[in-house]
Amino acid sequence: MKYTEEMILHSESGYCMPFDEPQGKDVELSLGYGEQAHPETGEKFFHHGIDFNVRCYMLSAVASGIVTGVGNDPVHGICQTIRYDQYEMTYGHLSNVFAQFGQRVKAGQTVALSGDRLHIGVRFKNEELNPIEFLTMLYGNIRAVRQAGGHDVPAFPDPEMEVKTDYERNKKEIEELMIRFLPHYMEDLQRGAYTLPERTEQSLRHIFTMGAMKEYFYERMPSMENPLGLGHKAIPLASKVQNLLIADFLNYLALRHDVYLSTLGEAVKKNFMTKP
């Protein structure tokens, strides 16, 4: 498809995809647009979108727009539609929706969580498009802006306000564990197979209450990387929250999967083993 001037859409976030794959992993389609063959029966059918095998991935708005639909479709399950100018982009097979009907969203803002997979459909002036062509158009615009010296890269995280945690020496190992186990952690939390310890929940509630009282939130424009709009004055709060969340994730790994950091001492491991 050749895009006319009225069809050009810019992504102020600098992203053309609604999700990020782990570093080193390529984005791969599981089902393309158009005529397809059923993998088991061989029956031909027309697929009105594209699918990705992305389980429990945070999904973002690709541009600034407004949520024009949230519902439950018999084919694609929980769906969310966002209008960007004259485009409408639909995410299907969702497990959670964070931006509700009528809500305005910013480019890069987290809007939903995928389920077992993600379906994407795109329409322009109510005419169906191949989503790959739409995403390719966004990518081309982003490259053109960068080559022209534009600033379309998100302003957060700011290198000058890097948040340090108590786990810096284990950072790489924890990130690898998150890539492997975070979808299971999120799923177990959602269905109640794992619950946040009461002390952790109370600590988080206290931290967010104090943060709200001191007006730490929305110092900046919220985005996918910085949904609370945290600025420099919130660094101590952000550090405490990250410490609590990482500690709970490690607690989950120990209790549910018998997985521990390589630097953890045997005495600490035995303490986990005695917990109910």
Side-chain angles (χ1 to χ4, degrees):
M1 168 181 281
K2 183 177 180 180
Y3 279 83
T4 61
E5 186 173 348
E6 72 163 343
M7 296 181 74
I8 298 299
L9 179 70
H10 292 284
S11 175
E12 301 95 325
S13 65
Y15 299 138
C16 65
M17 290 295 294
F19 61 87
D20 285 327
E21 285 285 16
Q23 189 173 2
K25 183 179 179 182
D26 293 332
V27 176
E28 294 182 2
L29 280 176
S30 58
L31 189 61
Y33 177 84
E35 189 172 291
Q36 307 290 327
H38 192 281
E40 296 178 0
T41 65
E43 182 181 353
K44 299 286 186 179
F45 68 97
F46 194 93
H47 188 223
H48 298 275
I50 55 177
D51 288 4
F52 299 89
N53 282 330
V54 287
R55 186 178 179 218
C56 295
Y57 275 48
M58 290 294 187
L59 306 175
S60 63
V62 296
S64 295
I66 186 169
V67 179
T68 56
V70 174
N72 204 325
D73 182 83
V75 176
H76 300 123
I78 299 175
C79 294
Q80 177 193 61
T81 300
I82 302 176
R83 176 180 289 277
Y84 307 115
D85 292 336
Q86 299 185 77
Y87 288 94
E88 281 198 323
M89 189 173 189
T90 298
Y91 299 153
H93 302 300
L94 304 178
S95 62
N96 207 344
V97 171
F98 306 127
Q100 301 299 330
F101 176 77
Q103 182 175 338
R104 293 196 175 276
V105 295
K106 296 291 185 181
Q109 179 180 336
T110 302
V111 294
L113 180 70
S114 68
D116 290 334
R117 61 189 185 279
L118 171 65
H119 172 84
I120 294 179
V122 175
R123 304 182 77 86
F124 178 78
K125 290 185 175 180
N126 209 32
E127 180 183 345
E128 185 175 284
L129 300 177
N130 183 341
I132 288 295
E133 295 180 340
F134 171 76
L135 296 174
T136 301
M137 178 268 293
L138 281 182
Y139 178 69
N141 290 342
I142 291 166
R143 285 183 61 95
V145 170
R146 286 177 178 166
Q147 289 171 359
H151 301 285
D152 62 337
V153 179
F156 190 89
D158 184 340
E160 295 182 1
M161 59 172 294
E162 184 178 358
V163 177
K164 296 290 186 180
T165 71
D166 296 339
Y167 300 92
E168 292 303 308
R169 66 173 181 156
N170 301 111
K171 185 175 180 179
K172 184 176 180 181
E173 184 178 2
I174 290 173
E175 288 177 346
E176 291 173 352
L177 289 171
M178 284 183 170
I179 290 172
R180 181 180 173 189
F181 289 103
L182 198 57
H184 303 290
Y185 174 68
M186 297 294 294
E187 184 177 353
D188 284 350
L189 277 173
Q190 286 182 331
R191 61 190 182 92
Y194 173 78
T195 56
L196 209 65
E198 186 176 350
R199 64 183 183 278
T200 303
E201 188 174 353
Q202 289 176 347
S203 296
L204 285 170
R205 189 179 295 117
H206 174 72
I207 289 171
F208 281 108
T209 299
M210 293 302 296
M213 290 174 60
K214 294 183 179 181
E215 298 182 346
Y216 282 168
F217 304 145
Y218 307 113
E219 184 181 351
R220 296 181 173 204
M221 181 65 70
S223 66
M224 185 173 70
E225 296 82 9
N226 188 9
L228 291 176
L230 301 181
H232 284 271
K233 66 181 181 181
I235 290 177
L237 176 143
S239 179
K240 290 178 180 179
V241 170
Q242 287 199 26
N243 280 328
L244 281 169
L245 295 179
I246 293 172
D248 186 66
F249 176 67
L250 296 177
N251 180 68
Y252 165 81
L253 291 183
L255 296 180
R256 300 285 297 178
H257 297 280
D258 196 28
V259 171
Y260 307 88
L261 291 178
S262 59
T263 55
L264 211 59
E266 290 300 320
V268 180
K269 291 182 182 180
K270 288 180 182 178
N271 183 46
F272 274 110
M273 294 175 189
T274 60
K275 290 183 179 181

